[in-house]
Amino acid sequence: MAQETPVVTRFMRERPDDSWQFESARAYNAAYTRLERAFAMGPEAIVEAVQQSGLRGKGGAGFGTGQKWSFLPKGVFPRYLCINGDEGEPATFKDHMLTERDPHQLVEGAIITAYAIQANHAFIYLRGEFALGADRLQQAIDDAYAHGFLGKDIGGSGFDLELVLHRGAGCYIAGDETGLLSSLEGERAMPRIKPPFPAAQGLYAAPTVVNNIETISTIPWIIANGAEWYAGMGVNRSTGTRIFSVSGHVERPGNYEVELGMTFRELIEGLAGGVRDGKRMKFFIPGGASSPWLLPEHLDSPLDMDYAGSELRTMLGSGAITVFDETTDPLLVSWRLAKFYAHESCGKCTPCREGSSWIEKVLYRMVNGQGRPEDLDLLLSFGSNIVPGLNAPFAQTTICALGPSTMSHVVSLDRWFRDEIVARLERDTARRTSLEIVTVSAGADA
Amino acid sequence: MAFSGTERRRAEEIVARYPQSRSATLPLLFLVQDRDGWVTPQGIEDVADFLGLTPAVVLGTCSFYTMFKLSPVGKLVVSVCTNVSCLVNGGPQLHEHLRREYARSDDVFIEEVECLAACDRAPALQINYDFHGPLTGEQAVDLIERHRSGELTARTISGTATGGEV
């Protein structure tokens, strides 16, 4: 029987009624006690430990966290820590939960991370729609200041930190690391071309680390339990645990924190109860809307963060798994995702700005019975101007990954449902043609 | 018209959090949106004046973000998700039900939005950025009406806790 391995979700389960409150977090989760250990280790040893733990970013890209920290140029100050809580990847809802239900864990992780990278100013960029999360996080920050865990000379360590909660205002692309920086600087959240990478020139062109909320929430536990403990969990290069947001046609939708290496089947069928109402699964999205889809025959694959180059050619991305039953129209799901990307494309790069809305238009006619037999090939043809080669790991002609994401669902349609779709488009075309014959001849008679 | 004394103090507090004042653009836009009920041309000008930017620059940033309303929306913004998890759980039908119900309403604004990160409660919606779900059309109307009558307290249309801070 599949089991969860709660690390960052442990405390919120133990104290579901008050886990976000300072007194509760202090009394029952020993909040802020890992600071002492961190200050005793010193910045370099923390970076070293996080590298050894194998911790990788949990926002989507899966880049090595300690490695990212180590890229900061030596001796260049000020530096900034920006924590990415702009969770907008469709079907992902873990950072939302972490912010509302364990903000002190996040603040403690932020302090340790800022100390490790020697930043005295940190920002948490929280998705604007998370109003309750913003209230609770601001309260947590205020409490941490009031008790001397933020501000000047934290715990007598000599380390100063200002931590600022910054609310977004409704925009998916602010979740891209450089889009976030543009937004935090008061501009449109348009991603920037790399290099320079944020580690060299990020916020206000200063060295900057951008990490996801779940990543930062994990840091106190690596400090408390050691790098070996964390590296001892997981599979291959995917160490530790991750929260998977499971939704769609499942019996028990929700967030499940599991050790990496568990199979999709154990997670979806064992923990989330499988497809509801006794139906069968048609397909599932394994890692947020930007990840190529998988079929029921792939359920025994392990949760591993390095699929892009493998036979499955997908990714665990943001850890959002959406399950669709046999009654689902894959074209409808694809169209809805296309509509999302067309809406959220920031407009900076031509292939994505123009391509995303054309993909939506063509899919709209396909799903509404107005498609033509060649439409799937048409999509692939102009889509390859956004994603040359059309295969994961995606190449891109755009600055950020939103470009290739606009095509991941189309590539999936082609890969898994091509015959079904082409047959349907042929039927739709034949129906329209016969209608045309009737109406035209009726018109001629009159 | 510029910021009043209280607004100015609040705005100064916000700007002081950032190494560069332009970073205060989004929070100040929330401030004027809460003051005026939507982001008015005057609000844009006030933010621009305060930050030493042109109104065009502030409007350029503002119009990029969906939570800033550039025309009046009434007292309640109801955001209904129709992205994939809600799509297969009745989100579009919920949106359509509410859109028809409140088509002529001046104080309830129904909008279709992208994934709200509440997929375990699909179909989900927000009323002034408080989460609710799963809901039927009737349950949603009932909930909106209870906010409308004052029985339930709503946040501001920027999601600010009533009586609280931006």
Side-chain angles (χ1 to χ4, degrees):
Chain A
M1 183 65 199
Q3 282 200 335
E4 288 189 74
T5 308
V7 175
V8 293
T9 55
R10 183 186 53 80
F11 179 56
M12 66 179 70
R13 291 150 172 259
E14 287 173 7
R15 304 280 304 181
D17 298 326
D18 62 3
S19 58
W20 56 92
Q21 289 173 358
F22 180 78
E23 293 73 20
S24 173
R26 282 288 277 173
Y28 304 106
N29 200 28
Y32 303 106
T33 58
R34 295 104 201 165
L35 296 182
E36 204 174 324
R37 189 180 167 89
F39 293 144
M41 287 169 76
E44 281 170 22
I46 299 173
V47 177
E48 180 74 23
V50 170
Q51 275 185 299
Q52 280 173 1
S53 74
L55 176 67
R56 294 167 68 179
K58 296 170 191 281
F63 196 81
T65 304
Q67 200 184 359
K68 204 179 211 180
W69 297 357
S70 73
F71 287 158
L72 291 169
K74 296 213 184 331
V76 184
F77 297 94
R79 296 166 168 187
Y80 297 105
L81 169 64
C82 296
I83 300 171
N84 188 344
D86 192 54
E87 187 169 62
E89 182 72 15
T92 316
F93 46 97
K94 64 192 179 62
D95 298 335
H96 177 191
M97 174 183 74
L98 288 169
T99 310
E100 282 186 3
R101 299 187 49 197
D102 204 344
H104 287 286
Q105 170 177 262
L106 172 59
V107 173
E108 188 172 12
I111 300 166
I112 297 170
T113 305
Y115 173 70
I117 64 166
Q118 293 291 287
N120 300 114
H121 214 139
F123 299 89
I124 301 176
Y125 189 110
L126 188 67
R127 183 170 173 183
E129 288 89 340
F130 295 168
L132 179 63
D135 289 352
R136 287 186 177 170
L137 184 54
Q138 189 59 57
Q139 185 62 51
I141 292 171
D142 293 346
D143 288 337
Y145 269 109
H147 292 85
F149 298 120
L150 285 171
K152 298 279 178 207
D153 189 24
I154 298 168
S157 64
F159 175 64
D160 306 335
L161 179 64
E162 298 298 325
L163 178 60
V164 174
L165 169 61
H166 183 90
R167 285 180 66 203
C171 162
Y172 170 66
I173 202 57
D176 170 84
E177 89 179 334
T178 57
L180 182 149
L181 298 175
S182 299
S183 182
L184 189 48
E185 290 178 4
E187 298 184 27
R188 297 181 150 226
M190 288 182 168
R192 306 167 179 178
I193 203 153
K194 298 185 271 192
F197 287 89
Q201 291 180 43
L203 188 65
Y204 313 124
T208 302
V209 163
V210 184
N211 284 144
N212 167 262
I213 277 186
E214 187 187 351
T215 314
I216 295 292
S217 297
T218 310
I219 299 295
W221 308 109
I222 294 179
I223 297 303
N225 303 331
E228 295 76 30
W229 160 79
Y230 197 80
M233 294 185 288
V235 62
N236 303 326
R237 287 185 57 246
S238 308
T239 63
T241 63
R242 276 194 76 172
I243 302 174
F244 289 91
S245 305
V246 187
S247 69
H249 289 129
V250 287
E251 196 68 48
R252 291 186 294 276
N255 282 315
Y256 298 93
E257 185 178 8
V258 303
E259 207 176 319
L260 287 155
M262 175 183 275
T263 64
F264 285 107
R265 188 184 302 283
E266 289 171 306
L267 175 60
I268 295 171
E269 295 180 358
L271 292 172
V275 179
R276 65 174 187 228
D277 303 331
K279 294 207 171 66
R280 286 190 310 188
M281 183 193 296
K282 181 152 183 139
F283 65 102
F284 66 102
I285 309 182
S290 304
S291 66
W293 306 350
L294 294 176
L295 299 178
E297 69 198 60
H298 303 118
L299 279 170
D300 292 311
S301 311
L303 297 162
D304 184 314
M305 288 163 77
D306 298 295
Y307 277 135
S310 81
E311 206 170 282
L312 292 186
R313 284 179 285 168
T314 184
M315 58 181 186
L316 288 190
S318 63
I321 297 178
T322 323
V323 174
F324 300 95
D325 73 19
E326 57 194 326
T327 68
T328 313
D329 177 1
L331 272 181
L332 180 68
V333 175
S334 183
W335 165 72
R336 186 61 187 83
L337 293 175
K339 185 179 167 198
F340 167 76
Y341 289 115
H343 179 250
E344 300 295 347
S345 173
C346 81
K348 189 170 187 172
C349 309
T350 311
C352 170
R353 182 184 62 241
E354 300 299 315
S356 59
S357 53
W358 278 108
I359 294 168
E360 190 272 329
K361 286 185 181 80
V362 174
L363 279 164
Y364 183 81
R365 80 177 178 208
M366 288 164 77
V367 80
N368 281 298
Q370 300 296 316
R372 304 163 192 176
E374 67 275 18
D375 275 353
L376 190 52
D377 289 325
L378 176 68
L379 284 169
L380 296 172
S381 152
F382 68 74
S384 67
N385 292 318
I386 314 173
V387 195
L390 292 171
N391 252 328
F394 288 130
Q396 61 196 62
T397 56
T398 52
I399 290 174
C400 82
L402 197 150
S405 299
T406 58
M407 279 300 287
S408 72
H409 52 96
V410 178
V411 169
S412 307
L413 288 180
D414 177 54
R415 197 169 170 206
W416 307 127
F417 303 113
R418 184 177 184 88
D419 292 348
E420 174 185 327
I421 289 168
V422 171
R424 169 169 163 185
L425 296 174
E426 280 166 355
R427 274 199 311 278
D428 288 342
T429 306
R431 181 181 51 78
R432 287 201 311 276
T433 311
S434 60
L435 263 176
E436 208 168 295
I437 292 165
V438 171
T439 48
V440 167
S441 58
D445 283 350
Chain B
M1 190 172 81
F3 283 145
S4 69
T6 335
E7 284 158 14
R8 176 162 289 276
R9 274 192 297 281
R10 185 80 198 107
E12 280 163 358
E13 270 172 41
I14 291 171
V15 168
R17 297 174 195 160
Y18 301 97
Q20 293 186 11
S21 62
R22 187 172 169 178
S23 286
T25 303
L26 301 191
L28 292 184
L29 284 167
F30 280 130
L31 190 76
V32 296
Q33 176 162 268
D34 279 346
R35 180 191 68 186
D36 300 335
W38 54 289
V39 183
T40 62
Q42 185 64 51
I44 295 276
E45 245 177 75
D46 291 348
V47 173
D49 276 353
F50 192 79
L51 295 176
L53 302 168
T54 65
V57 164
V58 175
L59 178 61
T61 294
C62 177
S63 64
F64 191 76
Y65 298 90
T66 56
M67 288 176 71
F68 297 128
K69 307 303 184 195
L70 286 160
S71 52
V73 287
K75 294 189 185 65
L76 295 176
V77 173
V78 180
S79 316
V80 188
C81 176
T82 60
N83 211 307
V84 287
S85 293
C86 288
L87 172 76
V88 297
N89 281 291
Q93 292 78 3
L94 177 61
H95 173 250
E96 186 58 17
H97 184 92
L98 295 177
R99 203 183 59 80
R100 284 168 193 258
E101 188 75 25
Y102 292 101
R104 290 165 199 281
S105 168
D106 288 331
D107 58 347
V108 180
F109 179 75
I110 307 293
E111 60 177 5
E112 180 186 15
V113 296
E114 296 300 348
C115 184
L116 288 168
C119 322
D120 49 343
R121 301 156 77 169
L125 58 74
Q126 292 189 311
I127 300 175
N128 288 6
Y129 302 101
D130 275 324
F131 283 97
H132 303 280
L135 290 173
T136 63
E138 290 71 29
Q139 287 169 329
V141 170
D142 178 58
L143 200 56
I144 292 167
E145 289 307 313
R146 286 165 67 198
H147 280 92
R148 222 175 173 185
S149 68
E151 184 193 336
L152 295 171
T153 311
R155 293 172 181 272
T156 69
I157 60 152
S158 301
T160 314
T162 312
E165 295 180 329
V166 172

